[in-house]
């Protein structure tokens, strides 16, 4: 986590706190929904109760689902507000900096790189402030709340959750180090490609007069090809990270399911607590998986045949 990026969100602390709070409340409602659902299934399928006997619990589940939807909407609105405020503020700072430096500085820089930094560079921060940063707080609060509920009910399941939870951040870090290098390389390539393209547009008249337009088009096509290859490499790392995190979460959930199922068959646990734990296990790992930092992949349209200037 970058301290400089955190400082950019200083003026949006309230919206950021609202995003984390709504996500945390949605997590608490998930625990209540799992408890109510496990009781309904236990009473109907094992207790033989009819619909009127579980109507109150069904109403509770419906209310929880509605509140979770409202909280999800509120979280998305506040997260987008944080991202929009930060991007607008950062662009304003960038423009003010360029104006203070004056024409002497801008003449020394390539127009494409400046435009790319002001547009694509700032826009790439959207996912960081609207998704990753709030999810860090949610990924801390929600699993701790679930552990607080699970440990008194079943210490063994709580221990499994507690021991397997750090595996996800560890794999995120290991894969993120590889993704960081590839993303930096992709960004540098995109900056050079943008600068090369804008410079070509500015000198298009001169290129036509000298008869070098087709050669320049081939040069742009080759640069686009290199950028496409690097982008595909970033996408491979992104898919690999998603696969690894899903695999870790699935195996960890399966461990809980196996030990709960064995104790249920042996008579060491009743059905309702066992089902409650099985419903909570995926929800325990879900915030951790969502805290995975997104690798920004900017695509350019690639054509096999260079455009005819």
């Amino acid at each position: 986590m970058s301290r400089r990026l955190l400082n950019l969100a200083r003026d949006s602390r309230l919206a950021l706190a609202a995003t984390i709070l709504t996500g945390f409340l949605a997590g608490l409602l998930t625990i209540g929904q799992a408890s109510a659902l496990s009781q309904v299934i236990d009473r109907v399928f094992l207790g033989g109760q009819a619909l009127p006997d579980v109507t109150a619990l069904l109403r509770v589940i419906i209310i929880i689902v509605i509140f979770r939807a409202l909280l999800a909407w509120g979280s998305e609105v506040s997260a987008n507000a944080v991202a929009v405020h930060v991007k607008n503020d950062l662009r304003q700072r960038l423009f003010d900096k360029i104006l203070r430096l004056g024409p002497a500085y801008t003449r020394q820089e390539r127009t494409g790189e400046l435009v790319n930094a002001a547009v694509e560079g700032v826009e790439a921060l959207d996912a960081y402030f609207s998704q990753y940063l709030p999810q860090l707080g949610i990924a801390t609060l929600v699993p701790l709340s679930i552990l607080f509920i699970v440990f008194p009910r079943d210490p063994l399941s709580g221990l499994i959750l507690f021991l397997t939870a750090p595996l996800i951040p560890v794999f995120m870090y290991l894969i993120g180090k590889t993704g960081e290098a590839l993303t930096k390389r992709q960004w540098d390539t995109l900056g050079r490609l943008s600068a090369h393209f804008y410079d070509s547009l500015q000198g298009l008249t001169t290129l036509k007069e000298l008869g070098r337009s087709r050669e320049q088009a081939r040069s742009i096509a080759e640069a686009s090809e290199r950028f496409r290859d690097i982008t595909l490499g970033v996408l491979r790392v992104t898919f690999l990270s998603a696969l690894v995190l899903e695999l870790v979460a699935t195996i960890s959930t399966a461990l809980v399911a196996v030990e709960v199922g064995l104790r249920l068959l042996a008579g060491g646990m009743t059905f309702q607590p066992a089902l409650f734990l099985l419903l909570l296990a995926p929800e325990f790992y879900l915030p951790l998986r969502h805290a995975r930092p997104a690798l920004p992949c900017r695509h350019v349209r690639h054509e096999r045949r260079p455009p005819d200037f």
Side-chain angles (χ1 to χ4, degrees):
M1 183 186 298
S2 174
R3 187 178 297 273
R4 295 177 61 185
L5 291 178
L6 286 177
N7 291 333
L8 294 176
R10 183 176 301 174
D11 296 335
S12 303
R13 289 191 298 266
L14 291 179
L16 182 60
T19 305
I20 297 175
L21 180 60
T22 51
F24 173 60
L25 292 178
L28 295 181
L29 290 178
T30 301
I31 299 175
Q33 180 180 336
S35 177
L37 183 60
S38 63
Q39 292 182 48
V40 169
I41 296 176
D42 179 62
R43 292 183 183 183
V44 172
F45 288 95
L46 296 182
Q49 295 184 2
L51 179 61
D53 300 322
V54 295
T55 300
L57 286 175
L58 291 177
R59 290 175 180 172
V60 170
I61 293 175
I62 294 175
I63 293 174
I64 289 176
V65 170
I66 294 174
F67 272 101
R68 286 185 63 187
L70 293 176
L71 289 174
W73 173 79
S75 177
E76 184 176 353
V77 170
S78 57
N80 289 332
V82 174
V84 169
H85 183 273
V86 170
K87 289 189 296 183
N88 290 339
D89 180 63
L90 188 58
R91 282 199 178 98
Q92 187 62 46
R93 292 185 187 184
L94 180 60
F95 292 150
D96 293 341
K97 182 71 173 181
I98 294 176
L99 290 176
R100 286 197 303 269
L101 293 174
Y105 170 78
T106 56
R107 288 173 182 173
Q108 300 174 0
E109 298 292 329
R110 304 182 72 174
T111 305
E113 291 182 347
L114 292 177
V115 173
N116 184 56
V119 180
E120 294 288 342
V122 175
E123 196 65 30
L125 296 175
D126 185 277
Y128 181 87
F129 288 101
S130 65
Q131 301 174 21
Y132 175 66
L133 190 58
Q135 195 62 37
L136 284 180
I138 298 173
T140 302
L141 296 174
V142 174
L144 287 178
S145 302
I146 294 178
L147 287 177
F148 182 78
I149 297 296
V150 170
F151 260 113
R153 294 170 176 256
D154 187 17
L156 180 57
S157 298
L159 182 62
I160 294 176
L161 295 177
F162 178 76
L163 294 178
T164 55
L167 294 177
I168 294 180
V170 169
F171 281 104
M172 286 170 55
Y173 173 79
L174 295 177
I175 298 175
K177 296 299 292 184
T178 303
E180 181 182 2
L182 289 175
T183 304
K184 185 178 184 303
R185 183 184 174 191
Q186 183 203 28
W187 173 253
D188 294 339
T189 305
L190 178 60
R192 290 192 297 268
L193 176 61
S194 301
H196 185 50
F197 182 72
Y198 276 99
D199 291 344
S200 299
L201 288 180
Q202 290 175 341
L204 183 60
T205 303
T206 304
L207 291 173
K208 293 288 290 186
E209 292 175 352
L210 298 176
R212 304 295 298 272
S213 59
R214 291 184 177 273
E215 180 180 345
Q216 193 69 13
R218 286 192 293 270
S219 176
I220 293 177
E222 292 174 358
S224 300
E225 180 73 24
R226 289 194 297 269
F227 178 69
R228 189 190 70 165
D229 293 338
I230 296 175
T231 300
L232 290 177
V234 176
L235 287 174
R236 282 194 292 268
V237 174
T238 303
F239 290 136
L240 175 62
S241 64
L243 175 62
V244 170
L245 295 184
E246 291 291 338
L247 184 62
V248 172
T250 301
I251 294 177
S252 302
T253 304
L255 289 177
V256 177
V258 169
E259 61 91 8
V260 167
L262 291 177
R263 285 189 293 156
L264 182 62
L265 291 175
M269 177 181 290
T270 58
F271 178 79
Q272 192 274 327
L275 181 59
F276 176 63
L277 293 174
L278 289 179
L279 293 175
L280 275 187
E283 300 296 336
F284 176 81
Y285 299 103
L286 185 61
L288 297 173
R289 287 153 48 200
H290 285 173
R292 176 176 62 91
L295 299 177
C297 297
R298 301 295 180 189
H299 305 274
V300 294
R301 184 179 178 182
H302 174 74
E303 297 182 1
R304 289 292 180 183
R305 180 180 180 273
D308 187 7
F309 290 127

